[in-house]
DNA sequence: CCAAGACATTCTCAATATGAGAATAACTTG
DNA sequence: CAAGTTATTCTCATATTGAGAATGTCTTGG
């Protein structure tokens, strides 16, 4: 139960105040949501971008996003933008990333942007929406030049994604319904950008309670380049990984040279 | 260098667009910052609250905060609110927590609030500011009934603080310039709400590179209830703790019963 | 069909990190 | 001065992790 469902005291004085209250007395600020939607295609991390169809910065690529609507909640707006501009499934994991509000970030007026981070399994190429001339997946580490401060937002989203893989089972949101341990390892290697020890990764994933659960099935055939058929798993019910699956540290990587 | 310092192409079409652009075409939204300022007083975690001096919800306690000003950056607004309403030092650690924008969260109009989390060493009682009838430290775990959705914001801030102690040296921002290992342990025990093993904590803190560095000095006298004089340390230069200092897990706590 | 190479899965071993309990010694207060 | 507290260091058993390797199953190219 949230506060506004309780008996909030609204006496005469407060009623009078609300009646004469003029929202236009406050400095105008526009509020938008922007979405950093990530997926993995052909072993490379990709981010969804739209080509701006109108000024400012027309023709440049930007994160999908737009103004929030009256009566619309923030996560709702983020999901709408994602679906609207790209036709993406509304089931993708989505979480708030951060809010950007530097006074100079948009030349039109004061714009405060609440960014969201979304993870999705490999999806078909998106459809262009009304606001965008085009929408497409781009390599997340080598994107085209981005509009506004979206390069910074993307960088923050990538770092959040890398960190989240450590202590949550979110890597499974990049895979299909079922997956092999190797596919899961591929997600980690792609997002972190480092190769992992196959044997240790296997041991670790199976030892963390609730990370994955066996389906009892195996792949129909071995890998395209050989190897036995792998067991298939699905996401478990854990929301946090205990103990966490930590990235190799810098010192360890230096030692490996 | 940020994007707006670069050669952004502003052609005639874009200039024309900017000229005829009317910010008032967008639905009115007010943007505020709210600050969850935490400190430890007498071994208890406290949060800074102000008593609302005007409707709505006049008389209720709320997090310090207010509308952002034109041309003012978000972190800047958070620091200003903290200093303005309470006289707190602007040097306290402050970081963005999350943004709340449910359409029903304020009866006046659509209000989007960007919350900030601040840690400060024990400070004197604050002064009331212009917007607040009173400002005071309250126990963070048993606060008075809070206005709007501030109880939820406080809860999120507390969880963030607990998590941050694990992998960052932020506990040192709750202490003075120098501190003993026991004082540092006290911070962890207070924020996490669990007793820690003194010996293991001591070993851990000294083994994590860059967490603390010795000053070469010791306390003038032993603790108020006895014990030897303790060595004094200051915060080290690490920004992250490797390996992290993890909270006891639920299962471990259950086992200890 | 066969040999070579790829890959899933399981093990072994050494190095680290952690939880518990305890030993030592330096201070406090009554 | 005795008793109780606390800082600091150790010991030992248990987990966790990094590396390297062994095994057996498959795919691909002759």
């Amino acid at each position: 139960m949230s506060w506004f469902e309780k008996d909030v005291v609204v006496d005469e004085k407060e009623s009078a105040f609300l009646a004469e209250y003029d929202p236009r007395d406050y400095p105008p600020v526009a509020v938008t949501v922007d979405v950093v939607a990530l997926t993995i295609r052909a072993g490379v991390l990709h981010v969804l971008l739209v080509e701006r169809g109108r000024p400012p910065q027309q023709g440049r690529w930007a994160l999908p996003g737009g103004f929030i609507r009256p009566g619309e909640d923030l996560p709702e707006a983020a999901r709408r933008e994602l679906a609207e501009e790209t036709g993406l499934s509304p089931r993708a994991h989505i979480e708030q990333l951060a809010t950007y509000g530097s006074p100079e970030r948009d030349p039109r007026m004061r714009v405060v942007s609440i960014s969201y981070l979304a993870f999705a399994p490999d999806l078909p190429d998106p459809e262009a929406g009304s606001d965008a001339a085009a929408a497409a997946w781009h390599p997340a580490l080598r994107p085209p030049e981005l509009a506004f401060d979206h390069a910074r937002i993307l960088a923050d989203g990538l770092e959040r994604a890398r960190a989240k893989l450590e202590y949550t089972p979110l890597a499974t949101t990049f895979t299909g319904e079922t997956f092999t341990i190797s596919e899961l390892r591929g997600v980690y290697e792609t997002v972190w950008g480092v190769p992992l020890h196959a044997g240790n990764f296997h041991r670790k994933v199976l030892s963390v309670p609730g990370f994955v659960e066996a389906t009892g099935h195996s792949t129909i055939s071995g890998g395209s380049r050989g190897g036995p058929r792998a067991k298939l798993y699905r996401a478990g019910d854990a929301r946090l990984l205990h103990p966490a699956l930590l990235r190799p540290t810098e010192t360890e990587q230096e030692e490996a040279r």
Side-chain angles (χ1 to χ4, degrees), chain A:
Chain A
M1 186 173 70
S2 48
W3 67 268
F4 50 81
E5 298 174 274
K6 296 177 185 174
D7 288 3
V8 175
V9 176
V10 181
D11 59 15
E12 291 175 15
K13 185 176 175 186
E14 183 148 339
S15 300
F17 176 86
L18 287 173
E20 70 181 42
Y21 185 93
D22 182 1
R24 298 294 167 104
D25 287 346
Y26 292 94
V29 182
V31 176
T32 66
V33 294
D34 288 312
V35 182
V36 178
L38 302 177
T39 197
I40 295 176
R41 318 189 98 200
V44 177
L45 191 62
H46 282 69
V47 61
L48 188 63
L49 299 177
V50 298
E51 193 171 8
R52 289 188 60 81
R54 55 171 76 167
Q57 308 208 217
Q58 182 172 24
R60 262 202 193 165
W61 293 90
L63 299 173
F67 295 96
I68 63 172
R69 296 177 179 173
E72 182 184 53
D73 205 353
L74 264 23
E76 191 182 338
R79 286 179 197 285
R80 175 179 56 73
E81 290 292 347
L82 197 53
E84 198 171 272
E85 301 207 59
T86 66
L88 281 186
S89 92
R91 294 177 310 169
H93 170 86
I94 194 165
E95 65 179 55
Q96 192 177 300
L97 176 58
T99 297
Y100 303 81
S102 165
E104 307 90 357
R105 64 184 297 280
D106 191 310
R108 292 170 288 185
M109 65 180 294
R110 185 66 183 271
V111 176
V112 169
S113 170
I114 300 133
S115 64
Y116 279 77
L117 180 62
F119 297 151
D122 191 357
L123 291 169
D125 279 311
E127 302 283 326
S130 54
D131 285 1
W137 294 104
H138 290 258
L141 300 184
R142 290 188 170 279
E145 195 174 3
L146 298 182
F148 309 118
D149 53 357
H150 288 191
R152 145 72 55 172
I153 300 177
L154 171 59
D156 290 349
L158 291 175
E159 178 49 32
R160 171 77 70 88
R162 286 189 276 255
K164 279 239 146 184
L165 288 202
E166 291 192 321
Y167 59 95
T168 73
L170 279 183
T172 60
T173 64
F174 281 112
T175 69
E177 177 78 18
T178 65
F179 49 84
T180 67
I181 301 293
S182 288
E183 288 171 348
L184 191 59
R185 177 162 50 85
V187 172
Y188 277 89
E189 292 179 329
T190 298
V191 177
W192 286 349
V194 296
L196 299 176
H197 180 114
N200 292 342
F201 183 85
H202 205 280
R203 174 183 63 189
K204 175 70 182 179
V205 167
L206 296 184
S207 73
V208 174
F211 192 0
V212 300
E213 59 185 35
T215 63
H217 298 150
S218 295
T219 53
I220 304 298
S221 65
S224 59
R225 288 184 294 182
R229 296 184 296 178
K231 293 178 185 169
L232 286 167
Y233 298 83
R234 68 172 68 89
D237 53 12
R239 302 201 170 186
L240 292 175
L241 305 184
H242 279 302
L245 208 165
L246 299 178
R247 283 176 269 192
T249 61
E250 284 185 12
T251 54
E252 276 166 356
Q253 291 208 53
E254 286 168 4
E255 287 165 6
R257 284 177 193 166

